[in-house]
Amino acid sequence: MDKVSEIFGINVFNDSVMRERLPEDVYATLKSTIKEGKGIDSSIADTVASAMKDWAIEKGATHFTHWFQPLTGITAEKHDSFISPTDDGHVIMEFSGKELIKGEPDASSFPSGGLRATFEARGYTAWDPSSYAFVKDETLCIPTAFCSYYGEALDQKTPLLRSMAAINKQALRIIKLFGHDDVKRVNVTVGPEQEYFLVDKNMYDKRPDLIFCGRTLIGSMPPKGQEMDDHYFGVLKPRVASFMRELDRELWKLGVLAKTEHNEAAPAQHELAPIFTTTNIAADHNQLTMEMMKKTAQKHGLVCLLHEKPYDGVNGSGKHNNWSLSTDTGINFLKPGKEPDKNPLFLLSLAAVIKAVDEHQELLRISVATAGNDHRLGANEAPPAIISIFLGEELTHLLESIENGEHHDNAKRERMNMGSDIIPSIRKDNTDRNRTSPFAFTGNKFEFRMLGSASSISDTNVMLNTMVADVFAEFADRLEKAENFDFEVNSIIKETMDNHKRIIFNGDGYSSEWEKEAERRGLLNLRSTVDAIPLLKSEENIALFSRHGVLSRTEINSRVDIILENYAKTVHIEALTLIEMMNREVIPAITAYTDLLCTAVLNKNSIGGINSSVERELIARLSAANKEIYSLTGELKMAVSSAERTKDVLEKATMYHDTILKLMGDIRKYADSAESVVPSDYWPYPSYGDLLFNI
Ligand code: ADP
Ligand code: MG
């Protein structure tokens, strides 16, 4: 086996490759473009393109693609080969600067939410030089942003890049106020932990629900679930271990810093965590990670399920978005240091996050709203649909002492001693481990735990970046004018606590008391996607995103439509799958087994004197269930047609949520109760036991 250090990044056109292969001046220009997040200088594009092509061909590439993330939530590629004909009937391999910088995929098949009139199907992809190009499947992949003819964002990456610029701008104002004049850029750093399930490919192939929906629509619980908690951090099964080893290597070759792999709470559930990096790269890498998980699983006779809730009654999968801010000189805004009470930059940043999260709770909730994730949030395994912040007791006390002016005298305050000798320093084990909080301070970063496992991390970071940028802007406005800087910092923190303390909650987020308490505090509890999404287009939010140049009114409106459309489509497919499973497999299976029981009763009767009460009872129970399944399936079919006739997208999504999902749940109850008494060779699908424990 090759050494890790030798394979890491071998398929990436990274900094060292650029330095080696580009003329010195071109390298310098490109490097400063990347470092300072500036636009690309088109005069160097041809040189870069040609070097990239030569390198890619050496790695076995024959094609190139602009790799982008449309609003379908996954990545898209359109492959072109490098070949170009010559006069003498041969071909040469060519790749121009123009082809590198700009692409023109046919955009009409990607969701645009009405942004692109149908006659204007053109969309453009534009190179993101801050995320390295790479070779995958004999193709040079160029990370790009995707927009309409008029420059409106049609993807996840464009707003993400804009939000990074917005927070950079405001955070720079803040850091300069603290005297760090050498700082050129503030980066958002993100480390997304990714959860997933593995299932045996042969079992998977027998489940239409897994194939079409990524989750099981029926299935009764096996005798053993996850109650033993024996899977979490347990020893890896050999097949899983070899999958993980190969996955790590594939990711390393692509420059993804895959770091930790372990079992998760549910059986057959696992997690991969990378080392954190700049947000847009983290987002690209997370997409690559998900893709590689799926591909690598196939090679091991497995299927990787990224759905948030593949199995009812078993923990679902999420993604933890670890988020912080760092300068190019290495200062982390959220690092408390040994004496957080004497670290005003840290306390001010903490205050900014608290204020931002409280003022924009709905944005964080919206950023994780999908049909899949709705099954997970608030189901006693994932954070509830209520946003709150966990700070830990020490930090909370520190902020409260500032709020109450305790342990402060005027002299001290002026010297920016943030008060209180009660907190000598953050003890490491005290800053974390409230797993029930959706948004937890964990040492030197915030960890947002509500994301669904299948989603792109972009939306969440767009929201976080923009809302914190907005609060930083407000703080900077005040501090730039302040006569007494230290005093003003202190006032800002005090006011933030006065007005936004309600968002801080250090207790058990899964308890029902918290739901009541949160309601008393006036916190939002947006239970489903259809409750959450419409709030995105409030005038306040439109103003917020416009103010920072992240999303325009048109872009926001189109996004609301796309998310609701996606929601309706997802449940639509699930409903059709369930109908087909019932009509073609479950109902006939129950009938067949009932038939067998009837024959048994007849036989017993013909002999006489043999008790057939068990058979009779089963016949009664199964026939009743089958009748319910049959009539509910009919009802479901009608409900789907009526939803499909609905023009208004919110109304349609609401019908899918209120009526169709509920009917599906009812059908499931009868099907699961039948499954629990029908012998396995009569039941058409592998059981939960087979799926969860057979790897
Ligand atoms: P856990 O949450 O399971 O305890 P860790 O503490 O190891 O895991 O870290 C989780 C993730 O947080 C990792 O991806 C790590 O790289 C990331 N992380 C650590 N520091 C930062 C930071 N300053 N900014 C963003 N992410 C970070
Ligand atoms: Mg974590």
Side-chain angles (χ1 to χ4, degrees):
M1 270 219 180
D2 329 310
K3 280 217 210 86
V4 175
S5 57
E6 280 163 19
I7 62 165
F8 188 83
I10 53 165
N11 291 337
V12 184
F13 194 72
N14 57 21
D15 189 61
S16 62
V17 181
M18 288 184 213
R19 190 168 40 212
E20 188 191 307
R21 293 185 174 243
L22 294 172
E24 222 168 284
D25 55 326
V26 174
Y27 170 74
T29 313
L30 185 59
K31 178 107 191 176
S32 73
T33 302
I34 294 170
K35 217 173 155 201
E36 284 156 45
K38 290 189 303 201
I40 186 76
D41 179 345
S42 59
S43 66
I44 64 165
D46 277 328
T47 318
V48 178
S50 152
M52 242 185 217
K53 177 206 67 186
D54 292 343
W55 169 83
I57 288 172
E58 284 168 34
K59 297 278 166 202
T62 50
H63 288 67
F64 69 93
T65 180
H66 276 200
W67 186 75
F68 60 104
Q69 292 147 38
L71 293 163
T72 50
I74 49 168
T75 53
E77 315 177 345
K78 175 186 163 232
H79 295 202
D80 282 301
S81 71
F82 288 123
I83 62 166
S84 168
T86 57
D87 290 341
D88 57 359
H90 290 87
V91 292
I92 50 167
M93 301 298 256
E94 268 189 348
F95 183 51
S96 69
K98 202 170 146 269
E99 286 170 308
L100 167 63
I101 292 183
K102 189 174 125 185
E104 239 180 280
D106 174 13
S108 55
S109 45
F110 296 109
S112 76
L115 261 188
R116 245 179 303 94
T118 30
F119 57 85
E120 182 46 88
R122 255 182 305 175
Y124 294 98
T125 49
W127 181 31
D128 167 15
S130 62
S131 182
Y132 296 137
F134 54 91
V135 169
K136 167 174 81 69
D137 301 332
E138 289 157 23
T139 303
L140 169 65
C141 300
I142 300 147
T144 55
F146 179 45
C147 59
S148 77
Y149 184 70
Y150 298 104
E152 285 133 341
L154 294 173
D155 68 346
Q156 319 256 21
K157 175 173 263 194
T158 307
L160 183 64
L161 293 172
R162 292 176 187 160
S163 75
M164 288 164 67
I167 196 164
N168 170 51
K169 184 172 162 195
Q170 304 305 334
L172 273 177
R173 290 173 68 195
I174 298 282
I175 197 81
K176 301 238 149 127
L177 283 163
F178 285 90
H180 298 286
D181 290 323
D182 55 333
V183 173
K184 285 211 179 62
R185 186 166 173 85
V186 179
N187 273 317
V188 184
T189 51
V190 169
E193 300 162 69
Q194 174 75 47
E195 292 179 342
Y196 60 96
F197 277 89
L198 291 174
V199 60
D200 184 272
K201 174 89 165 67
N202 292 323
M203 303 282 172
Y204 171 92
D205 284 338
K206 294 183 188 134
R207 300 271 327 198
D209 44 3
L210 284 180
I211 294 173
F212 296 123
C213 316
R215 73 172 177 112
T216 54
L217 300 173
I218 55 169
S220 68
M221 276 306 287
K224 178 182 171 186
Q226 65 189 59
E227 49 284 286
M228 303 289 285
D229 276 331
D230 51 357
H231 186 69
Y232 193 54
F233 281 104
V235 178
L236 297 177
K237 296 195 175 131
R239 197 167 165 202
V240 174
S242 85
F243 157 80
M244 284 183 177
R245 267 199 302 277
E246 185 175 342
L247 175 62
D248 278 342
R249 295 176 72 79
E250 288 306 315
L251 290 172
W252 289 336
K253 286 187 205 163
L254 290 166
V256 178
L257 293 155
K259 171 91 173 156
T260 328
E261 297 254 26
H262 63 76
N263 287 353
E264 262 299 324
Q269 190 187 29
H270 309 280
E271 180 189 289
L272 181 148
I275 297 170
F276 68 93
T277 178
T278 312
T279 326
N280 61 324
I281 297 169
D284 284 355
H285 281 182
N286 182 248
Q287 292 288 352
L288 276 176
T289 302
M290 292 194 284
E291 185 182 328
M292 285 303 152
M293 280 176 169
K294 290 192 169 155
K295 278 193 183 146
T296 310
Q298 296 269 354
K299 290 196 218 158
H300 293 256
L302 298 164
V303 175
C304 171
L305 303 175
L306 290 169
H307 194 283
E308 286 77 9
K309 194 74 182 173
Y311 308 105
D312 212 35
V314 172
N315 267 14
S317 300
K319 209 164 333 214
H320 292 177
N321 191 80
N322 294 274
W323 182 96
S324 192
L325 283 171
S326 277
T327 67
D328 54 350
T329 58
I331 305 166
N332 179 348
F333 283 51
L334 291 171
K335 186 172 173 185
K338 282 213 175 66
E339 297 179 295
D341 56 321
K342 302 195 180 74
N343 184 348
L345 173 65
F346 166 68
L347 292 171
L348 189 75
S349 307
L350 209 54
V353 174
I354 291 169
K355 181 169 156 68
V357 171
D358 185 39
E359 281 179 347
H360 304 289
Q361 297 159 45
E362 82 279 15
L363 291 182
L364 285 180
R365 174 64 183 93
I366 286 165
S367 79
V368 300
T370 61
N373 213 21
D374 277 1
H375 295 290
R376 195 177 73 96
L377 297 176
N380 271 333
E381 49 154 302
I386 307 162
I387 306 280
S388 66
I389 297 181
F390 170 84
L391 281 186
E393 266 170 35
E394 291 186 351
L395 278 181
T396 309
H397 282 157
L398 169 52
L399 292 177
E400 278 170 351
S401 76
I402 297 171
E403 180 191 11
N404 304 325
E406 284 161 7
H407 298 275
H408 285 225
D409 50 48
N410 279 333
K412 258 190 171 173
R413 193 189 286 155
E414 270 165 33
R415 286 206 326 277
M416 195 57 231
N417 184 333
M418 303 305 298
S420 80
D421 296 316
I422 36 172
I423 305 110
S425 70
I426 302 274
R427 287 200 308 274
K428 202 156 187 204
D429 58 351
N430 231 338
T431 61
D432 175 325
R433 306 309 155 205
N434 182 330
R435 296 252 157 223
T436 65
S437 175
F439 199 87
F441 183 73
T442 48
N444 62 353
K445 58 184 160 62
F446 275 100
E447 179 171 348
F448 181 48
R449 303 185 175 126
M450 273 169 83
L451 256 129
S453 47
S455 297
S456 155
I457 62 166
S458 295
D459 279 350
T460 281
N461 290 295
V462 166
M463 304 299 185
L464 275 171
N465 296 350
T466 310
M467 62 206 221
V468 175
D470 197 56
V471 177
F472 270 161
E474 189 190 317
F475 287 0
D477 286 345
R478 281 178 66 171
L479 291 168
E480 280 162 4
K481 291 198 287 271
E483 279 172 22
N484 184 331
F485 180 75
D486 296 348
F487 184 82
E488 191 70 6
V489 170
N490 213 354
S491 314
I492 288 176
I493 295 167
K494 186 173 161 12
E495 279 168 39
T496 302
M497 283 301 279
D498 278 342
N499 299 327
H500 302 289
K501 187 164 63 174
R502 64 169 186 171
I503 197 78
I504 300 170
F505 175 65
N506 294 326
D508 179 2
Y510 295 1
S511 66
S512 52
E513 294 83 62
W514 168 233
E515 248 192 271
K516 285 182 221 126
E517 166 68 15
E519 197 179 335
R520 268 194 297 279
R521 293 190 191 185
L523 299 177
L524 290 174
N525 186 359
L526 299 165
R527 288 188 176 78
S528 77
T529 299
V530 290
D531 296 326
I533 295 301
L535 303 184
L536 181 57
K537 51 182 183 184
S538 72
E539 284 306 316
E540 263 178 336
N541 285 331
I542 290 173
L544 168 74
F545 287 108
S546 312
R547 193 153 63 235
H548 296 281
V550 175
L551 287 169
S552 67
R553 178 185 295 272
T554 333
E555 287 170 333
I556 289 176
N557 286 334
S558 84
R559 259 150 224 267
V560 168
D561 284 358
I562 290 170
I563 298 168
L564 292 172
E565 263 315 329
N566 280 348
Y567 179 89
K569 274 187 202 153
T570 306
V571 185
H572 179 70
I573 293 169
E574 290 180 350
L576 294 187
T577 305
L578 188 66
I579 292 169
E580 177 154 316
M581 287 170 78
M582 292 305 121
N583 285 341
R584 302 195 50 198
E585 308 251 30
V586 170
I587 294 173
I590 298 175
T591 306
Y593 180 53
T594 318
D595 249 19
L596 180 83
L597 291 168
C598 290
T599 315
V601 173
L602 286 176
N603 287 344
K604 284 184 173 177
N605 283 353
S606 70
I607 299 170
I610 302 177
N611 186 307
S612 60
S613 61
V614 172
E615 288 83 354
R616 285 167 186 276
E617 219 167 278
L618 280 171
I619 292 168
R621 186 169 155 189
L622 285 170
S623 312
N626 222 13
K627 179 170 172 289
E628 292 296 338
I629 293 172
Y630 182 77
S631 68
L632 286 167
T633 302
E635 243 179 86
L636 178 61
K637 211 168 170 181
M638 300 214 314
V640 170
S641 328
S642 113
E644 285 305 295
R645 281 194 303 272
T646 311
K647 286 277 169 313
D648 181 78
V649 59
L650 176 59
E651 206 180 305
K652 182 168 164 179
T654 308
M655 286 171 80
Y656 273 105
H657 176 264
D658 293 355
T659 313
I660 290 165
L661 275 179
K662 197 183 153 297
L663 276 169
M664 289 171 62
D666 293 344
I667 292 173
R668 173 178 195 143
K669 259 185 249 138
Y670 290 106
D672 289 359
S673 92
E675 185 187 349
S676 68
V677 292
V678 170
S680 48
D681 45 338
Y682 273 79
W683 196 253
Y685 307 117
S687 68
Y688 266 28
D690 297 331
L691 296 167
L692 285 164
F693 294 98
N694 233 326
I695 290 192

